[in-house]
């Protein structure tokens, strides 16, 4: 029963052993709070939630840190564009994000540290790096000197030339080398500013990478178990985090495991505002329960790219409708060993779903232990968080239905059925179907759903 995880640093699936038995520290790079979160942002939250649920299920005390980047060039630009304060912009975006991750059934982080509340720790790290010769001051900036770190580039396995091309490095006359990256920079008028470290007189602000080294240090220590994020963060962000932390603390590693989730595409295309396929979770949740969104994301292994489609969402909704119906009366039973085995194998959720579908087939034939096991096993991956009654009463906002009329027709149909007037009851069912309503009869009465 050993959890095995893919580690980007060693390019291999390895047994996960926590640094301290029974305790696990996880740091995941969170959101830059500049605009309403889209489905790509939430993929990482759902993945690490699966990991966390498993670790907690196996009695680990998990400290889960997801940071909030609330100081950044894009935030400053966005606030200026909208004519609101940086604080108002970051608060608004952060609120959306918190609501969205909760709606997708993700457990809240142990701590959600904000970059602007950790500037002191960042400055301490910067001072250390200057003192030990890994960073230098130039033109009121502090820069990390990449050539001082022998194995820089090890995580992304790139050559220096590839890294220069990939990072679109800023060529600045004050840099010793184009690869050197910013730890601290002077603030322009109107930008957030703090007293600078390393003897710099002009007020300034941190570069992006240093905040994660500072926050992971404060909340998890100099080294910790798992660092996660999207695959796009491997270079330069994570490479630079490693350089900063290892050089400041003289450690062999920053984190023992580096986990990265894949990209997300929409109907086969890269999601972008210009393509008009930019989907925010906020909009999605008007028409679909958060669990349907979660179910859809988990159909793809976390390291693979997701192709997000409406057809996929419909399929998930259909499955969950059936699963809720089958397990409405069931108490959670035994965990299915195939589901557990799949999760232990680098969180292989598609494999877990194959086993869940088998349980569903058994439960549909009336096997009560299968329904009980389906409920317990799906709960392990954060599904079945709603009651069956809440599930069936969910109504998509974009489909307008006259609920009172539906109710009236259902009552008339029940009366026709009681009077054995099946011609009339069938006619009413067809009338409801034409309105986009599916009627479901059970021993407890009749319920209805929107046909998708
Ligand atoms: Zn980070």
């Amino acid at each position: 029963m050993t959890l095995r995880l893919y580690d980007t640093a060693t390019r291999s699936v390895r047994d996960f052993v926590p640094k301290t038995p029974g305790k696990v520290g996880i740091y995941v790079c969170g959101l830059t709070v500049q605009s309403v979160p889209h489905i790509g942002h939430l993929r990482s939250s759902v993945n690490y939630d699966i990991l966390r649920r498993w670790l907690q299920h196996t009695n680990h005390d998990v400290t889960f840190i997801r940071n909030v980047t609330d100081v950044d060039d894009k935030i400053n630009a966005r606030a200026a564009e909208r004519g609101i304060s940086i604080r108002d912009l970051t608060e608004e975006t952060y609120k959306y994000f918190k609501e969205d991750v909760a709606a997708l059934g993700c457990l809240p982080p142990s701590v959600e540290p904000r970059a602007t509340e950790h500037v002191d720790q960042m400055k301490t790290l910067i001072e250390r790096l200057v003192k030990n010769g890994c960073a230098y001051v130039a033109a009121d900036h502090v820069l990390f000197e990449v050539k001082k770190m022998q194995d820089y580039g090890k995580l992304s396995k790139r050559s220096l030339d590839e890294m220069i091309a990939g990072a679109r490095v800023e060529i600045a006359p004050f840099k010793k080398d184009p690869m050197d990256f910013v730890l601290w920079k002077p603030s322009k008028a109107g930008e957030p500013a703090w007293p600078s470290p390393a003897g710099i007189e002009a007020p300034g602000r941190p570069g992006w990478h240093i905040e994660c080294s500072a926050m992971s240090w404060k909340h998890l220590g100099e080294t910790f178990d798992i660092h996660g994020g999207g695959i796009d963060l491997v270079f330069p962000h994570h490479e630079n985090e490693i350089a900063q932390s290892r050089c400041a603390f003289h450690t062999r590693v920053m984190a023992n495991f580096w986990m990265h989730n894949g990209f997300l595409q929409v109907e086969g295309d890269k999601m972008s505002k210009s393509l008009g396929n930019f989907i925010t979770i906020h909009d999605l949740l008007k028409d679909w329960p958060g669990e349907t969104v979660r179910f859809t994301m988990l159909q793809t292994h976390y390291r693979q790219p997701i192709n997000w489609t409406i057809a996929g969402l419909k399929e998930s909704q259909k499955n969950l409708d059936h699963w809720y119906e089958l397990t409405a009366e069931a108490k959670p039973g035994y965990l299915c060993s195939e589901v557990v085995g799949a999760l232990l194998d680098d969180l292989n959720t598609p494999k877990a779903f194959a086993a869940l579908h088998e349980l569903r087939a058994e439960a549909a034939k009336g096997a009560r232990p299968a329904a009980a096991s389906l409920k317990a096993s799906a709960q392990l991956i954060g599904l079945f968080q709603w009651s069956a009654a809440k599930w069936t009463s969910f109504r998509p906002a974009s489909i307008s239905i006259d609920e009172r009329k539906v109710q009236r027709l259902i009552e008339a149909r029940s009366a026709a059925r009681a009077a054995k007037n099946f011609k009339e009851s069938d006619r009413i069912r067809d009338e409801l179907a034409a309105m986009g309503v599916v009627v479901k009869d059970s021993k407890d009465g009749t319920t209805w759903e929107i046909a998708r």
Side-chain angles (χ1 to χ4, degrees):
M1 274 259 295
T2 305
L3 174 64
R4 290 172 63 76
L5 297 171
Y6 182 84
D7 170 31
T8 308
T10 55
R11 300 287 191 278
S12 61
V13 178
R14 300 196 285 122
D15 286 1
F16 173 71
V17 182
K19 263 180 66 193
T20 310
K23 279 183 185 259
V24 180
I26 306 173
Y27 184 95
V28 174
C29 293
L31 187 73
T32 300
V33 281
Q34 51 164 326
S35 54
V36 184
H38 58 68
I39 40 176
H41 292 133
L42 276 275
R43 183 171 191 198
S44 141
S45 300
V46 172
N47 290 330
Y48 297 108
D49 190 63
I50 299 288
L51 173 65
R52 212 172 137 198
R53 282 174 185 273
W54 173 257
L55 290 169
Q56 290 185 183
H57 172 73
T58 48
N59 299 321
H60 289 87
D61 174 9
V62 180
T63 307
F64 182 83
I65 312 291
R66 184 180 63 214
N67 73 299
V68 179
T69 299
D70 57 354
V71 51
D72 174 87
D73 289 343
K74 282 178 253 160
I75 294 174
N76 300 342
R78 181 85 183 128
E81 193 185 303
R82 289 186 52 194
I84 57 173
S85 73
I86 289 169
R87 187 79 193 176
D88 285 351
L89 174 69
T90 56
E91 284 300 322
E92 178 193 289
T93 312
Y94 178 60
K95 189 177 146 278
Y96 270 126
F97 182 66
K98 272 186 95 142
E99 285 170 8
D100 291 350
V101 275
L104 263 57
C106 300
L107 302 167
S110 319
V111 187
E112 274 184 289
R114 284 158 175 257
T116 51
E117 287 164 8
H118 292 75
V119 176
D120 284 347
Q121 285 83 3
M122 295 187 220
K123 282 160 65 174
T124 304
L125 284 184
I126 292 170
E127 297 278 7
R128 268 192 202 207
L129 291 167
V130 172
K131 216 166 273 170
N132 71 18
C134 292
Y136 59 95
V137 176
D140 290 342
H141 289 68
V142 184
L143 294 130
F144 186 92
E145 191 168 359
V146 166
K147 86 164 190 293
K148 291 287 172 70
M149 191 184 174
Q150 288 291 317
D151 52 2
Y152 182 83
K154 200 175 157 203
L155 179 73
S156 53
K157 293 209 172 24
R158 292 185 189 209
S159 70
L160 221 48
D161 286 345
E162 281 174 314
M163 285 190 277
I164 291 173
R168 277 178 269 146
V169 291
E170 191 192 344
I171 311 285
F174 53 81
K175 281 188 183 181
K176 289 188 189 171
D177 186 286
M179 277 308 290
D180 294 349
F181 60 89
V182 169
L183 300 175
W184 189 266
K185 57 184 168 185
S187 296
K188 296 189 195 94
E191 287 179 349
W194 289 265
S196 295
I200 298 168
E201 283 197 9
R205 60 198 172 102
W208 170 35
H209 315 298
I210 193 73
E211 67 176 60
C212 290
S213 288
M215 290 186 268
S216 60
W217 173 40
K218 178 169 176 198
H219 297 283
L220 297 173
E222 294 180 0
T223 62
F224 51 93
D225 294 301
I226 299 170
H227 192 315
I231 190 80
D232 52 325
L233 295 181
V234 173
F235 182 79
H237 185 56
H238 289 165
E239 203 72 77
N240 292 352
E241 281 188 31
I242 292 173
Q244 294 159 167
S245 296
R246 284 185 49 206
C247 291
F249 306 123
H250 304 290
T251 49
R252 197 180 53 79
V253 295
M254 177 184 186
N256 288 329
F257 276 79
W258 284 84
M259 290 180 71
H260 293 98
N261 56 275
F263 287 121
L264 187 143
Q265 293 191 313
V266 175
E267 308 279 354
D269 274 320
K270 191 170 183 269
M271 185 167 54
S272 76
K273 279 190 173 139
S274 57
L275 282 171
N277 64 356
F278 197 82
I279 306 175
T280 66
I281 296 282
H282 192 73
D283 282 340
L284 216 47
L285 292 175
K286 289 179 191 159
D287 280 343
W288 307 90
E291 233 170 78
T292 305
V293 178
R294 182 180 181 98
F295 191 105
T296 309
M297 284 196 181
L298 295 176
Q299 298 307 304
T300 308
H301 187 260
Y302 77 92
R303 286 197 283 127
Q304 300 301 317
I306 287 190
N307 182 23
W308 190 263
T309 61
I310 291 292
L313 269 174
K314 285 185 179 171
E315 188 60 31
S316 301
Q317 182 73 33
K318 213 170 83 192
N319 275 306
L320 276 171
D321 284 345
H322 194 202
W323 292 18
Y324 263 100
E325 193 183 318
L326 286 173
T327 59
E329 305 287 306
K331 293 250 178 313
Y334 290 112
L335 283 180
C336 165
S337 60
E338 276 89 4
V339 171
V340 169
L343 294 180
L344 291 172
D345 177 15
D346 192 27
L347 311 178
N348 192 335
T349 53
K351 209 159 116 189
F353 273 97
L356 291 172
H357 282 299
E358 278 177 31
L359 287 174
R360 193 256 318 144
E362 289 300 308
K365 286 183 211 151
R368 291 170 71 171
S373 182
L374 174 62
K375 193 162 203 169
S377 309
Q379 277 175 346
L380 180 66
I381 55 172
L383 300 172
F384 289 139
Q385 294 191 36
W386 286 14
S387 67
K390 186 179 170 192
W391 186 262
T392 48
S393 62
F394 180 86
R395 307 280 178 252
S398 67
I399 302 171
S400 68
I401 295 261
D402 181 347
E403 295 216 15
R404 274 158 61 191
K405 184 174 172 194
V406 171
Q407 213 45 54
R408 250 187 350 257
L409 286 169
I410 284 179
E411 279 159 23
R413 178 172 168 272
S414 299
R417 276 158 58 96
K420 304 219 181 309
N421 184 352
F422 296 115
K423 204 175 156 203
E424 175 63 3
S425 78
D426 285 353
R427 188 201 62 75
I428 299 173
R429 189 197 57 211
D430 292 346
E431 188 182 341
L432 284 161
M435 291 167 66
V437 169
V438 183
V439 178
K440 291 193 168 180
D441 299 309
S442 73
K443 63 176 171 44
D444 299 324
T446 303
T447 56
W448 62 277
E449 286 169 5
I450 306 275
R452 298 224 188 221

